[in-house]
Amino acid sequence: MLLEPSIAGGPIARMFADMPVKTRIKTAHTVAHDYASISMSRDDLALADAIINYLLLDIDAAVRAALSEELKECDFLSHEVAHKLAQDIDAVSLPMIASSTLLTDGDLLEILETANDAKQIAIADRSEVDLLVTDQIALQGCYEAVEACLENQAAIIGMEGYQHILRRFGNEDIIQELLVRRSNLPKDTVARLYEFISEDYKKELMDGDHLSDALSARMILNARERVLAKSLSRRMTDYEQKKASLSLQKEGRLTATLMLRSLISGNQSFFLSALAEASGISKKRVNSLTSGRGYLGFRRLYDRAEMPNYLYEAFRTTLEEQRNARHYHPRADMDNLQQRLIDRIAHVYEWDDDLTLEELMEKLLPKRIY
């Protein structure tokens, strides 16, 4: 016959009242093990269930730990029992947190709110870790939990999670190594990662599955130009800019997209130096041809520099918007101006609105990349 908890409570309480701790621990192991092995009759199962619920409240943590260890993989255990064990102190909770499939994403997120490092790591090591949980670990988890999450190929990490990891630990060599070896990295993550990893990691990244198509190659080239443009944005003399332009020209890196990126980003001085180098005309003359209201002179200069025809409208639109901003809005906010430039260029090429600079520049790269 089934044993009601109200009836079982009295006899069970009396049975354990004077039982030594070691005996209670052994009993907890035995009862929980037999319960999880499905070797009990229906009546015995009900009694074992009542004993387990009673021992959940045992004052000695070793007793509760024995339950957790034996029940951690029991898939028919009540959610309430699994939840209580998972919310206990480390010695009790860690086996359940690490292994129980009964814990929901909501349970794990609740645990993470107050979890110490050990509990965070146990969650990150689970055989299945879904997106909401990895996002939270990436956002607030300790370094070791983030590392465990990256090592766990069964953990599903989304673009937001990768962004948090790069922001918090992107400069750590071990984190870089683990990121490079993750499968199915979002292309934005690969682009950001490429900015600061070592040459060895870059090679591993390019040799991996992340760069198996043309889109990935475009993204890597775009990332390289972003880093280069940033280095060129520092204050330089005309001589330094001319020297940099000449060096880049010899290396084959003085591309039209690099010039356009510099212009859109407000580095007009380098743009003029680069275009002067590409066209063989003085910077002063280039400045005159690009600042006038007519575009015939600029078109001739553009052709002389052998710039790609498909990018002409992007350059022309940028120069026009910047000229209007200087004339009508001399104190215009540069960030707003840049986004207006991006939107105008996207409109010219009939692309979606609200592109970022990186999305725009990636689209503007040559159609064929070697």
Side-chain angles (χ1 to χ4, degrees):
M1 105 184 216
L2 290 176
L3 207 57
E4 294 291 336
S6 58
I7 299 174
I12 291 175
R14 288 194 295 273
M15 179 174 65
F16 285 102
D18 299 317
M19 187 180 290
V21 174
K22 286 186 178 180
T23 307
R24 297 205 308 276
I25 294 172
K26 184 177 180 180
T27 302
H29 271 298
T30 301
V31 172
H33 174 80
D34 291 346
Y35 181 87
S37 66
I38 325 178
S39 60
M40 293 181 166
S41 66
R42 189 181 179 200
D43 288 350
D44 288 342
L45 198 62
L47 177 60
D49 188 60
I51 292 173
I52 287 168
N53 277 278
Y54 181 82
L55 293 179
L56 273 176
L57 306 176
D58 197 290
I59 195 171
D60 198 292
V63 175
R64 306 194 305 276
L67 292 178
S68 185
E69 183 61 37
E70 297 294 346
L71 297 172
K72 64 184 180 182
E73 296 179 356
C74 180
D75 57 7
F76 58 89
L77 184 68
S78 74
H79 176 264
E80 182 182 0
V81 171
H83 186 263
K84 282 182 179 178
L85 289 170
Q87 290 281 17
D88 212 316
I89 64 172
D90 287 3
V92 179
S93 65
L94 291 179
M96 190 61 59
I97 289 174
S99 302
S100 179
T101 59
L102 300 172
L103 299 177
T104 65
D105 285 352
D107 295 331
L108 297 174
L109 290 172
E110 181 184 353
I111 293 167
L112 283 172
E113 289 179 4
T114 57
N116 58 20
D117 292 1
K119 288 184 178 180
Q120 292 177 28
I121 295 168
I123 291 174
D125 273 333
R126 285 170 59 88
S127 60
E128 292 183 7
V129 194
D130 287 334
L131 194 63
L132 290 175
V133 179
T134 58
D135 278 352
Q136 187 61 28
I137 292 173
L139 176 63
Q140 295 183 327
C142 66
Y143 173 86
E144 290 78 8
V146 171
E147 185 179 346
C149 209
L150 290 173
E151 287 178 333
N152 183 0
Q153 292 297 327
I156 301 172
I157 306 176
M159 186 169 66
E160 188 172 338
Y162 283 120
Q163 287 174 347
H164 292 317
I165 292 171
L166 286 170
R167 175 180 55 81
R168 298 178 64 206
F169 304 116
N171 290 324
E172 297 288 338
D173 184 74
I174 293 177
I175 296 298
Q176 291 179 14
E177 180 180 359
L178 291 172
L179 282 167
V180 166
R181 293 175 182 173
R182 288 285 299 186
S183 58
N184 301 317
L185 283 178
K187 68 186 185 73
D188 289 346
T189 302
V190 177
R192 286 192 59 193
L193 186 59
Y194 197 88
E195 292 179 25
F196 47 80
I197 57 178
S198 69
E199 290 303 318
D200 288 342
Y201 287 152
K202 285 178 183 178
K203 185 178 185 305
E204 187 170 344
L205 192 64
M206 287 188 287
D207 289 343
D209 295 335
H210 312 298
L211 305 178
S212 58
D213 54 28
L215 180 62
S216 296
R218 295 168 68 80
M219 175 268 298
I220 289 299
L221 179 57
N222 193 49
R224 288 173 177 167
E225 291 200 344
R226 174 172 54 186
V227 175
L228 181 56
K230 185 177 180 180
S231 71
L232 295 168
S233 65
R234 64 180 179 83
R235 187 181 296 276
M236 290 192 289
T237 64
D238 283 350
Y239 173 75
E240 288 173 326
Q241 289 177 340
K242 182 176 181 179
K243 185 178 178 181
S245 298
L246 179 60
S247 176
L248 290 170
Q249 180 81 318
K250 288 181 178 178
E251 295 169 4
R253 295 195 293 160
L254 192 63
T255 63
T257 46
L258 176 63
M259 292 187 221
L260 181 59
R261 177 190 283 275
S262 297
L263 185 61
I264 293 174
S265 299
N267 190 2
Q268 188 173 40
S269 184
F270 175 77
F271 161 71
L272 295 174
S273 292
L275 190 51
E277 181 60 39
S279 63
I281 296 177
S282 70
K283 182 176 180 180
K284 184 177 180 180
R285 180 60 176 156
V286 168
N287 185 38
S288 175
L289 291 171
T290 56
S291 58
R293 288 194 172 276
Y295 291 98
L296 182 59
F298 174 63
R299 178 78 235 198
R300 289 174 177 169
L301 173 65
Y302 192 89
D303 292 340
R304 181 186 177 97
E306 297 183 350
M307 306 271 269
N309 189 57
Y310 79 95
L311 283 179
Y312 174 75
E313 288 300 329
F315 278 99
R316 175 175 170 170
T317 300
T318 303
L319 290 169
E320 181 181 317
E321 281 294 321
Q322 289 180 338
R323 186 183 301 122
N324 290 339
R326 286 193 298 271
H327 183 73
Y328 297 108
H329 309 285
R331 297 184 180 180
D333 180 82
M334 289 306 298
D335 289 339
N336 288 336
L337 173 59
Q338 184 180 101
Q339 190 57 53
R340 189 161 67 249
L341 282 172
I342 294 169
D343 292 342
R344 277 287 311 277
I345 294 170
H347 179 72
V348 167
Y349 288 87
E350 299 182 345
W351 293 330
D352 294 336
D353 294 333
D354 298 323
L355 294 176
T356 64
L357 176 59
E358 299 313 317
E359 290 169 337
L360 176 72
M361 295 310 303
E362 190 175 311
K363 283 178 174 290
L364 288 171
L365 285 171
K367 297 299 181 184
R368 187 174 182 182
I369 297 175
Y370 296 93

